[in-house]
Amino acid sequence: MSKPVVGIIMGSQSDLRIMKEAAEVLDELAVPYELTVVSAHRTPLRMVEYGTEARKRGLKVIIAGAGGAAHLPGMVASLTSLPVIGVPVKSSNSIDGWDSVLSILQMPAGVPVATVALDGARNAGILAAQIIGASDKDLGDRLDAFKKSLQTKVESAAKTIETNGWKSAL
Ligand code: RP5
């Protein structure tokens, strides 16, 4: 297995049911990643170590997911110059996900977190691949093929509906 270039971290093991989707799409795109739990509140020193060592260890992008009072993505972004993608997770302690969305989205000037949709871990994985793919031709080509496959799926669905009527698509 090649050296990980994407670090996927999450505040709790309970986030894994969502965050695994980032790992799955990185597998599809053949992007090496690592995945672990780092809690801003329960393991603050581990978070500081992860954030400060990430670039030295060869990571290029960090995907950080958390629910509720979701401080992990922003705090990790404060510790590294790597791009950080934040995934708000609708967790058991969440007020409908809004707490997590707003905690991750409303970062102060100078410390950006690229926030994806609530539970949007798959898009976080795709965005991480796109950031790396901007300067990696082979990965960029795989992403072009991936985008093309999305187009083909929609065109094929449109054709089915147009040919057989909308009821056939239900
Ligand atoms: C957050 O609290 C975690 O990211 C998780 O989404 C949420 C609940 O954590 P657990 O109590 O399930 O460990 O920090």
Side-chain angles (χ1 to χ4, degrees):
M1 175 100 179
S2 343
K3 225 167 144 237
V5 288
V6 178
I8 304 174
I9 54 174
M10 62 208 80
S12 168
Q13 189 179 337
S14 64
D15 299 320
L16 190 56
R17 74 195 159 79
I18 297 298
M19 296 305 291
K20 71 177 170 52
E21 293 177 21
E24 283 165 358
V25 76
L26 290 172
D27 277 335
E28 287 168 35
L29 292 164
V31 177
Y33 61 87
E34 62 179 27
L35 183 150
T36 190
V37 176
V38 178
S39 169
H41 304 121
R42 294 166 178 154
T43 62
L45 298 181
R46 177 172 162 79
M47 176 194 65
V48 170
E49 189 185 352
Y50 193 93
T52 51
E53 296 297 314
R55 200 164 78 86
K56 289 179 225 159
R57 293 195 299 105
L59 295 181
K60 297 200 179 331
V61 183
I62 295 173
I63 299 173
H71 296 126
L72 181 66
M75 286 307 297
V76 168
S78 77
L79 293 162
T80 181
S81 56
L82 292 178
V84 175
I85 303 170
V87 183
V89 174
K90 188 170 172 184
S91 57
S92 59
N93 63 329
S94 180
I95 306 172
D96 252 1
W98 279 110
D99 38 13
S100 175
V101 168
L102 298 177
S103 306
I104 298 176
L105 187 66
Q106 291 301 108
M107 288 296 293
V111 191
V113 169
T115 310
V116 295
L118 184 66
D119 290 346
R122 185 171 170 85
N123 265 2
I126 295 167
L127 183 56
Q130 287 177 328
I131 291 168
I132 297 165
S135 56
D136 175 331
K137 189 184 174 314
D138 287 349
L139 177 55
D141 289 346
R142 292 201 290 284
L143 282 157
D144 281 347
F146 173 78
K147 289 274 183 193
K148 181 78 188 153
S149 77
L150 297 179
Q151 192 181 317
T152 307
K153 269 184 216 156
V154 173
E155 283 165 357
S156 140
K159 202 166 183 181
T160 305
I161 290 175
E162 287 162 14
T163 311
N164 306 323
W166 63 268
K167 287 180 187 162
S168 69
L170 294 174

